Amino acid sequence: MSDTHIRLSLNDPVTVLSVTDGIEALLGYQADTFLTGKVSFKSRIHAGDQDIAEVLFSHTLDPGSGSFNIRLRQADERIRCVRVHYRKVTDVSGIILELRLEDVRRPDLNRGEQTVMANFKAMMENTDDYIYFKDRNQVFTAASQTLVALAETSVHTGLIGQTAYDVFPEDYADSYHELEKQVLAGHPVEHVILELRDKQGKKGWFDNRICLIQDDKGEITGLFGTVRDITEHKLAENELRIAAAVESQESMMITDADCTILRVNHAFTESTGYTAEEVVGQTPSLLKSGRHDAEFYRAMWESINNTGAWRGEIWDRRKNGKVAPDMLTISAVKSGDVVTHYVGTHVDITERKAAEEEIKHLAFYDQLTGLPNRRLLLDRIRHALAFSARSGTGGALLFIDLDNFRTLNETLGHNVGDLLLQQVAKRLETCVRRSDSVARLGGDEFVVMLEGLSEQALEAAAQTKIVGDKILAVLNQPYRLALHDYRSTPSMGAVLFDDHQQSMDELLKQADIAMYQAKQNGRNTLRFFDPQMQEAVNARAALEDELGKALEKQQFRLFYQVQMDSSRHPLGAEALIRWMHPERGMVFPAEFIPLAEETGLIVPIGQWVLETACAQLGEWQKAELTRALVLSVNVSSQQFRQPDFVEQVLSVVQRHAIDPARLKLELTESLLLDNIEDTIDNMNALKKIGIMFSMDDFGTGYSSLQYLKRLPLDQIKIDQSFVRDIATDSNDSAIVHTIIAMAKSLNMGIIAEGVETPQQRQVILDNGCTHYQGYLFGKPMPIAEFDALLQEV
């Protein structure tokens, strides 16, 4: 076989410039495959030789030339060993790598090798060991008949002239290739045990000795190796070890190092229901109950790998499908430093666990209703306070007392009273989330603890009131107590908590006081401990009710704030909603938009804003002065994520016959928190007809550049919090400079909002931003005033 020549450019990316036709005979690929880049030459280098490849393909002339052996993967995925002669040169295009690939295999032996083969022929034909000679390229020059038979080669010369990769499975060849590399590097191999599998997957153990062959001058000419099959000896050792373990343990399972079950004893069969025939050859996952996550098993194996053992409780599934708790002990059995087996012992602890649960239930649960008692409630309050302090979230206690419960007991008896308490307990549990708690303190007193509420006290109070109102409605429903129909009402007191400064007893006392205030106010109601909080909750409830009617009564108006360039030329405006309340006067968005988002009213309100804004755009298109103006409309994340949002926008644009390129939708960074792919799809669908997008309040939220670069944005709006002190605060100035530079690098427009002074405008202009919005140019104003402003500029 003639040598193969390859010429490559090491510029990034590495490309093949030329390759001779010999490549097809060597690797099974046609030359065009490498020239066109369909297959990368570097990708065909064996994983074990990648360190050599890194040096070879490095962008440097040092070393400039040399030769070494390397393994290449052929088109049929077999391994071919070659001798690589390389040279690095430079030309006008950069560094060029010239390779000459020489197949190390050869059909004939030289005279010296023939002499060696003749001298050792008798030895190699009369031994049970595997004996071989190789040249320094790891090509067989002689081999015993036992090794030839093991290789099952069809080549008439046996193994002579072949490499291990030509006649053995790849994992065999890899193992011996690495051992022989050690020997060639000057590290003899003495009694190295390799554990290998043959083509049928059968495991075997082999004891290896490999040494160098040198000539009279001390030059390395080859390798001499002897391999002894010690599989039977290893299996006998393992059997003795297994037998000893089984005799000394009960309910036992033994696996090999790959966790394949080899043996179970009679106690195991009795406890699990599986016979030995049913489990041998399987893995212990046969017993998995599904109650443990990946982290449980990761920690288990970390302990086994680090300490050689693990002990703990585990839920196993029996053959009949029953899931039961076991105390499991796993021990690793080793031969030297190598794990050969794992031994697991199982002890059924069902009765012990049941006893523990019964004791726990008696200590922490109310016997009549099954709810947590005072002791468990106090423990949960303590944990809730600690969690609140760590996370910053709020919580609340609702103290519930049944009205006129004593009268029920006195007239119908305690048995009927107990029935009411049991039904109240069940109804209360339907009113809360799984993360919340319902407890019975005693008598007719119950406590509901809510966790994970808002950090804002008013919003947390509103969330508490929602749950309280639900409890009132549910407990007001009629009861059937034995033969009696009965109605019961509750009085509830509420107290909020938000840090660990409040004690548990103090919280319960305050909730109790609030409950008595509810009774004094006519019963069947909810009262907060803090009178100011109660007033604020009432006001919020009234505002929510009025907000729901505001659309219907046409109380919303759009105001317009002009956007200008550095020459004070109007570019457009932002549409800003105002609530013209008949009693409160003008209500600004900060007072009602959060409530609208919480109640879901933000969706119909947002639709009204879009409809009204597009109607105004339609009017602007009729006049020469306003025809080129762009109108920005804020879109909430809830509105944007409506399944038919794109269709809604398209419908409004068509209905008012506006130029879509004059409509700009302002989005907030909260849209980047989830469903980013849906966000991008919706934006692209609207971009197709010309609608523009701006990222509002940039820098105050998520600000992920990873997603920002994928969004089809036209503009970024610098938040006014960075503009406010920009003339005096170097940090704000640096942030604004960075935002402007980033927007320009992404080919996005940039506008600064909240510009109120000439100094602010100048600093922003000096940083490269020429579009502005703020009181320096005009406040938000009704459409008539806005039209007048346009006439003046």
Side-chain angles (χ1 to χ4, degrees), residues 62-120:
D62 184 23
S65 62
S67 61
F68 49 79
N69 287 358
I70 200 168
R71 291 166 287 176
L72 297 176
R73 195 172 293 278
Q74 302 176 112
D76 61 4
E77 295 303 318
R78 291 188 304 159
I79 299 299
R80 174 64 54 84
C81 296
V82 300
R83 184 74 177 171
V84 176
H85 305 272
Y86 73 92
R87 186 167 70 99
K88 290 183 180 180
V89 298
T90 58
D91 63 12
V92 293
S93 64
I95 299 177
I96 303 299
L97 176 63
E98 298 176 346
L99 303 179
R100 178 166 63 87
L101 309 183
E102 175 187 348
D103 191 344
V104 299
R105 299 178 306 169
R106 51 204 174 93
D108 301 313
L109 302 180
N110 60 42
R111 182 172 299 176
E113 290 167 339
Q114 292 174 358
T115 301
V116 170
M117 184 176 178
N119 292 338
F120 286 90

Side-chain angles (χ1 to χ4, degrees), residues 174-201:
D174 279 342
S175 298
Y176 281 99
H177 186 91
E178 294 303 324
L179 281 181
E180 291 165 0
K181 278 175 63 176
Q182 292 181 34
V183 177
L184 289 169
H187 306 289
V189 169
E190 289 284 345
H191 295 298
V192 173
I193 308 298
L194 289 181
E195 181 182 317
L196 301 169
R197 293 182 184 274
D198 61 18
K199 293 179 180 179
Q200 288 72 42

Side-chain angles (χ1 to χ4, degrees), residues 354-365 367 373 376:
E356 290 176 355
E357 287 299 318
E358 180 64 22
I359 293 171
K360 179 180 177 182
H361 199 272
L362 290 172
F364 295 106
Y365 290 86
Q367 299 306 297
N373 59 18
L376 183 53

Side-chain angles (χ1 to χ4, degrees), residues 74 293 393:
Q74 302 176 112
D293 58 16
T393 57

Side-chain angles (χ1 to χ4, degrees), residues 450-750:
L450 307 177
E451 295 188 68
L453 302 183
S454 172
E455 300 175 11
Q456 304 299 321
L458 182 57
E459 188 173 345
Q463 294 169 333
T464 303
K465 186 177 185 301
I466 290 173
V467 178
D469 289 343
K470 184 177 182 181
I471 291 174
L472 283 172
V474 169
L475 296 190
N476 268 270
Q477 297 298 314
Y479 297 86
R480 182 66 177 174
L481 307 177
L483 301 176
H484 307 281
D485 292 325
Y486 185 75
R487 285 188 175 274
S488 175
T489 60
S491 294
M492 282 187 288
V495 62
L496 302 180
F497 60 84
D498 55 10
D499 58 48
H500 62 282
Q501 300 298 324
Q502 300 153 290
S503 70
M504 295 181 291
D505 291 338
E506 184 181 6
L507 285 174
L508 285 172
K509 182 179 180 180
Q510 291 174 351
D512 190 23
I513 292 172
M515 182 270 294
Y516 278 105
Q517 292 174 348
K519 284 190 178 292
Q520 292 170 3
N521 280 273
R523 305 175 187 269
N524 195 27
T525 189
L526 167 68
R527 283 292 180 269
F528 282 83
F529 173 74
D530 183 352
Q532 293 181 341
M533 182 60 68
Q534 182 66 52
E535 183 179 340
V537 168
N538 292 342
R540 182 187 173 96
L543 185 66
E544 180 180 339
D545 181 62
E546 294 168 355
L547 183 61
K549 300 174 183 176
L551 263 180
E552 176 186 332
K553 295 182 178 181
Q554 300 182 351
Q555 294 175 353
F556 292 118
R557 297 288 184 275
L558 281 188
F559 278 39
Y560 300 84
Q561 187 171 31
V562 69
Q563 296 176 342
M564 292 188 176
D565 62 16
S566 57
S567 301
R568 299 188 75 88
H569 174 73
L571 304 170
E574 180 180 2
L576 299 165
I577 191 171
R578 298 291 186 265
W579 181 6
M580 313 307 290
H581 195 281
E583 297 175 1
R584 303 170 187 261
M586 187 190 302
V587 183
F588 287 88
E591 298 181 55
F592 67 87
I593 289 299
L595 183 60
E597 290 177 335
E598 183 181 323
T599 58
L601 289 171
I602 192 66
V603 174
I605 291 174
Q607 181 63 23
W608 177 86
V609 170
L610 183 64
E611 190 82 40
T612 306
C614 288
Q616 185 58 54
L617 267 178
E619 293 298 317
W620 282 352
Q621 288 180 175
K622 299 175 183 178
E624 183 69 27
L625 180 64
T626 55
R627 187 170 297 153
L629 295 181
V630 174
L631 186 56
S632 296
V633 178
N634 291 283
V635 177
S636 72
S637 58
Q638 286 188 44
Q639 182 183 3
F640 190 88
R641 291 195 178 104
Q642 293 297 303
D644 60 344
F645 175 72
V646 172
E647 290 73 16
Q648 289 179 14
V649 176
L650 295 177
S651 175
V652 173
V653 168
Q654 293 170 1
R655 185 159 51 252
H656 295 285
I658 65 170
D659 178 2
R662 300 301 165 191
L663 176 62
K664 183 187 298 178
L665 302 183
E666 292 198 5
L667 310 178
T668 61
E669 295 180 30
S670 61
L671 276 172
L672 303 181
L673 291 176
D674 50 27
N675 298 324
I676 184 66
E677 299 301 332
D678 291 343
T679 297
I680 294 173
D681 289 344
N682 283 353
M683 292 177 70
N684 283 328
L686 294 174
K687 285 279 289 185
K688 286 181 180 178
I689 67 166
I691 291 175
M692 296 188 291
F693 288 94
S694 177
M695 179 62 73
D696 195 15
D697 301 335
F698 183 78
T700 63
Y702 193 61
S703 301
S704 170
L705 298 182
Q706 176 186 359
Y707 294 129
L708 187 65
K709 67 181 182 180
R710 298 179 56 200
L711 296 175
L713 290 169
D714 300 279
Q715 184 185 71
I716 287 176
K717 179 177 278 191
I718 302 173
D719 185 66
Q720 58 184 334
S721 63
F722 301 126
V723 174
R724 186 177 301 114
D725 299 321
I726 193 171
T728 57
D729 190 324
S730 59
N731 289 331
D732 283 341
S733 179
I735 291 172
V736 168
H737 177 80
T738 301
I739 293 174
I740 293 171
M742 182 203 66
K744 288 183 176 179
S745 69
L746 295 175
N747 296 317
M748 296 179 186
I750 190 83

